[in-house]
Amino acid sequence: MRLSAYFLPTLKEAPAEATIASHRLMLRAGLIVQTASGIYSWLPLGLNVLSKITRIIEEEQEAIGANKILMTTIQPVELWRESGRDNSYGEEMLRFKDRRGHELLYSPTNEEQVTDIFRRFVKSYRQLPQMLFQVHWKFRDEMRPRFGIMRGREFLMKDGYSFDLDLESAKKTYKKIFDAYLTTFRRMGLVPIPVRADSGAIGGDMSHEFQILAETGESVLFYDALLLEPSLASAAERAAAYAVSQEKHNPYTCSVPPNRLRQSRGIEVGHVFYFGTKYTRAMNASIMGPEGTPIYPEMGSYGIGVTRLVGAIIEASHDEKGIVWPEAVAPFRVGLVSLHAEEAACAEASTDLYTKLSNAGIEVLYDDREERMGVKLSDMDLIGLPWQVLVGPKKLAAGVVELKNRKTGEVQELSQEGVLNFLGRP
Ligand code: ATP
Ligand code: MG
């Protein structure tokens, strides 16, 4: 992609309302633009990241056998009357009427709708287990939308739902999805901390949040230091070391030895929930059980904040110059800068390298603008692509270009061949 033809409205200064780094950087780097309070549109660079994140989530869901569907953003209120959540969900739900006076709502979540789909088609225990998921927009009329897309009102969520025959099988499904979430977040360069959020007696509900450590996070958590130092712990120790959140547990009664107990703030990027037969009973979604009598399938639901993840990744990975994207979610892998695009030799060599990199299947954003060098370099640092290739007349005369690692700042001088070889490696 040539920057001269790319819609990338970068800003020198962040608007005053942006108080945390990710919000400031997302506005400055031209990832998002606000439409209304808590409602943001995604611009090309931001959308690129969102697509990469979505792709990773989908791959890991498909790897455990979940089926991707796409439900509607709009639901009839009747479904929520059946579950009884019509009254309990409250002010976060956006309701409206169509021209015939039918009461509708914009999905804040989709348990009712997926249970309705399930009951129409699944009739026997032989069709279990089922795992369905989607990546789709939600609306919650949050009391205090803030921090940009971090707590928005309209936001993109991966929401998954499982149906199992019995508790034992439901627990297996829960574990499978739990593990897939760990893999998903790790692939994005994050260190996910699962936090127990048990909300009931044994055999009742079971729930974990996935938190990313960040000073600007809204949750306070206590965790076992072993979680962050995998080399210190066996797999079994690590599995036992799930964190406890302050709100729900007294840290001094938890099982973590005091010398390993750490406190931090976190951003909740995912939430897994087992709630048994709550919806299948309320919505009469019984199926034929193995004994020949009807049974109510056991359900769980599993959310990931897709748009929130973009903010969380930036909170976890930036410096004073801008964003530092982990390779797996970077909008482009390489930023190629023609330092003196107004000079024919520099422009030609840059364009030649751009063509070769593109032909090698490498995602390159090519800054071919006739702009001041300082502006180009600071824009490149701001948008945070993992690798920068800097092409300038002096180095060219010596037969080299510069390859800079955005994260470490390390610069190597390489021939154009050398750059291609280096970046061509997977
Ligand atoms: P929170 O406590 O942050 O309000 P929640 O418990 O209401 O989250 P869930 O209903 O479990 O959230 O939704 C699944 C995921 O969706 C959350 O883990 C979070 O990452 C994301 N999410 C929830 N609310 C928002 C929001 N207002 N803006 C952006 N992402 C959100
Ligand atoms: Mg909420």
Side-chain angles (χ1 to χ4, degrees):
M1 178 60 70
R2 283 172 181 265
L3 194 42
S4 59
Y6 196 56
F7 190 76
L8 180 65
T10 55
L11 305 175
K12 273 219 174 61
E13 305 284 338
E17 77 269 12
T19 56
I20 64 169
S22 59
H23 189 192
R24 280 198 299 273
L25 290 170
M26 288 183 77
L27 293 170
R28 283 192 55 212
L31 269 60
I32 52 168
V33 59
Q34 188 179 33
T35 297
S37 168
I39 301 180
Y40 290 82
S41 295
W42 289 78
L43 302 178
L45 199 71
L47 183 57
N48 240 346
V49 177
L50 211 50
S51 308
K52 296 246 157 106
I53 290 176
T54 303
R55 192 68 217 120
I56 292 174
I57 293 171
E58 288 172 351
E59 282 172 11
E60 293 305 324
Q61 289 300 303
E62 277 154 14
I64 55 166
N67 283 260
K68 188 179 168 197
I69 60 173
L70 189 60
M71 290 181 273
T72 60
T73 52
I74 293 174
Q75 303 178 35
V77 167
E78 281 81 7
L79 284 176
W80 289 61
R81 294 223 169 92
E82 283 192 61
S83 72
R85 280 209 294 183
D86 175 31
N87 290 322
S88 63
Y89 204 87
E91 292 289 301
E92 275 190 15
M93 188 146 80
L94 177 66
R95 300 150 178 272
F96 45 94
K97 285 182 182 161
D98 68 12
R99 64 167 77 193
R100 292 179 190 83
H102 287 155
E103 290 179 72
L104 302 170
L105 61 97
Y106 195 108
S107 306
T109 179
N110 296 61
E111 281 82 2
E112 284 80 358
Q113 196 180 8
V114 80
T115 305
D116 180 50
I117 293 171
F118 175 89
R119 72 181 168 185
R120 293 204 214 179
F121 301 109
V122 180
K123 303 293 177 193
S124 158
Y125 75 96
R126 288 192 198 88
Q127 293 163 272
L128 297 182
Q130 291 285 346
M131 282 188 280
L132 300 173
F133 80 99
Q134 65 170 351
V135 177
H136 209 12
W137 295 95
K138 303 284 179 272
F139 190 93
R140 293 182 186 175
D141 203 353
E142 298 277 355
M143 182 88 98
R144 275 186 75 196
R146 57 189 186 142
F147 303 150
I149 45 75
M150 207 70 101
R151 183 165 295 283
R153 293 197 297 162
E154 189 181 56
F155 59 97
L156 193 59
M157 194 201 286
K158 172 265 167 181
D159 46 324
Y161 306 89
S162 66
F163 298 84
D164 278 274
L165 174 61
D166 52 26
L167 178 62
E168 196 191 334
S169 152
K171 276 186 176 164
K172 275 192 198 135
T173 299
Y174 186 91
K175 176 76 169 53
K176 218 191 234 186
I177 294 172
F178 186 107
D179 289 344
Y181 272 30
L182 290 177
T183 314
T184 300
F185 297 130
R186 286 182 187 139
R187 276 185 64 186
M188 296 172 191
L190 295 169
V191 180
I193 302 207
V195 177
R196 254 198 312 266
D198 302 28
S199 43
I202 296 164
D205 294 347
M206 169 166 68
S207 169
H208 286 88
E209 293 168 357
F210 291 81
Q211 298 273 351
I212 301 305
L213 297 186
E215 280 165 29
T216 49
E218 290 185 291
S219 325
V220 175
L221 34 131
F222 289 86
Y223 63 96
D224 188 330
L226 285 186
L227 271 172
L228 298 189
E229 292 159 54
S231 58
L232 292 179
S234 70
E237 276 177 308
R238 229 166 40 237
Y242 298 143
V244 284
S245 72
Q246 187 189 43
E247 282 87 21
K248 290 155 193 138
H249 298 263
N250 176 346
Y252 301 105
T253 65
C254 82
S255 57
V256 179
N259 64 327
R260 292 205 323 237
L261 193 64
R262 302 283 184 277
Q263 181 186 348
S264 176
R265 301 189 73 86
I267 300 168
E268 181 195 321
V269 292
H271 197 171
V272 292
F273 211 135
Y274 160 79
F275 43 72
T277 58
K278 178 176 171 187
Y279 296 93
T280 47
R281 258 177 216 284
M283 297 181 66
N284 204 15
S286 64
I287 60 170
M288 193 51 69
E291 317 294 335
T293 51
I295 58 118
Y296 293 107
E298 305 273 333
M299 278 182 77
S301 74
Y302 313 88
I304 294 180
V306 183
T307 40
R308 181 179 284 182
L309 265 172
V310 181
I313 291 168
I314 297 173
E315 285 300 322
S317 186
H318 68 272
D319 61 19
E320 67 293 344
K321 292 184 183 135
I323 303 168
V324 182
W325 292 114
E327 292 233 3
V329 300
F332 296 89
R333 183 149 166 257
V334 180
L336 170 66
V337 185
S338 176
L339 294 172
H340 284 279
E342 73 287 353
E343 288 181 25
C346 184
E348 260 169 47
S350 303
T351 302
D352 181 54
L353 194 50
Y354 170 59
T355 310
K356 287 180 177 147
L357 287 166
S358 303
N359 289 346
I362 297 163
E363 295 171 324
V364 192
L365 182 63
Y366 170 29
D367 191 348
D368 58 340
R369 297 173 301 168
E370 289 191 12
E371 239 323 333
R372 277 187 302 122
M373 187 163 87
V375 170
K376 297 172 86 161
L377 291 174
S378 61
D379 272 355
M380 213 30 103
D381 281 345
L382 174 64
I383 67 171
L385 309 181
W387 297 100
Q388 298 177 5
V389 178
L390 311 175
V391 182
K394 263 203 210 115
K395 301 278 178 200
L396 268 182
V400 294
V401 298
E402 289 173 305
L403 176 69
K404 180 177 139 186
N405 179 306
R406 172 65 181 88
K407 187 172 175 180
T408 62
E410 192 191 329
V411 179
Q412 325 171 37
E413 292 187 356
L414 292 171
S415 66
Q416 282 151 281
E417 247 341 272
V419 167
L420 267 166
N421 282 336
F422 185 93
L423 294 171
R425 289 200 304 245

